[in-house]
Amino acid sequence: QVQLVESGGGLAQPGGSLRLSCAASGSIFSINAMGWYRQAPGKEREPVATITGGGSTNYSDSVKGRFTISRDNGKNTVYLQMNSLKPEDTAVYYCYFDKVYTIGTLRNYWGQGTQVTVSS
């Protein structure tokens, strides 16, 4: 049984920083891509950043240059460093693990979500 546990959300002032983490527990052999999505009130969930198994990254235009995604394969963990935060970054942030290979299974997983609020 694989579970994703997110941490690091909270309240930040405009221009501030937060760092999100998402760790997968369980007997995991490999994980393909990892990513972060967010969903603001009244809006659909949207991709924020992704990182492949080889370390290639991709960002939405709205966060490019401000957010940095990284991963630690030994810890089955993905991070999202968020700098220069803006009020429009306020949302619930979800991590996503693509093609998690465990004993007898290969499937995708979502984290439970963590609230990020940017306000003065």
Side-chain angles (χ1 to χ4, degrees):
Q1 183 77 10
V2 174
Q3 287 188 321
L4 304 190
V5 178
E6 298 184 34
S7 60
L11 176 65
Q13 292 189 338
S17 298
L18 286 172
R19 188 187 193 218
L20 306 183
S21 300
C22 177
S25 62
S27 299
I28 297 171
F29 293 131
S30 65
I31 302 170
N32 186 31
M34 300 176 179
W36 290 94
Y37 288 68
R38 68 186 181 187
Q39 187 167 19
K43 295 187 177 182
E44 293 189 354
R45 191 173 298 188
E46 63 176 6
V48 174
T50 58
I51 184 166
T52 68
S56 297
T57 58
N58 191 43
Y59 299 92
S60 67
D61 289 342
S62 61
V63 307
K64 201 172 294 183
R66 300 187 297 121
F67 291 10
T68 302
I69 189 170
S70 61
R71 63 190 282 171
D72 184 331
N73 292 326
K75 296 181 179 179
N76 293 324
T77 299
V78 65
Y79 305 95
L80 186 68
Q81 178 67 44
M82 304 185 293
N83 298 328
S84 302
L85 284 163
K86 303 176 181 180
E88 50 264 42
D89 295 320
T90 295
V92 177
Y93 284 70
Y94 298 89
C95 59
Y96 174 75
F97 282 20
D98 177 68
K99 295 185 178 65
V100 180
Y101 181 38
T102 66
I103 299 174
T105 67
L106 179 67
R107 55 160 288 188
N108 307 325
Y109 291 88
W110 286 93
Q112 81 279 11
T114 186
Q115 177 70 45
V116 170
T117 302
V118 184
S119 175
S120 56

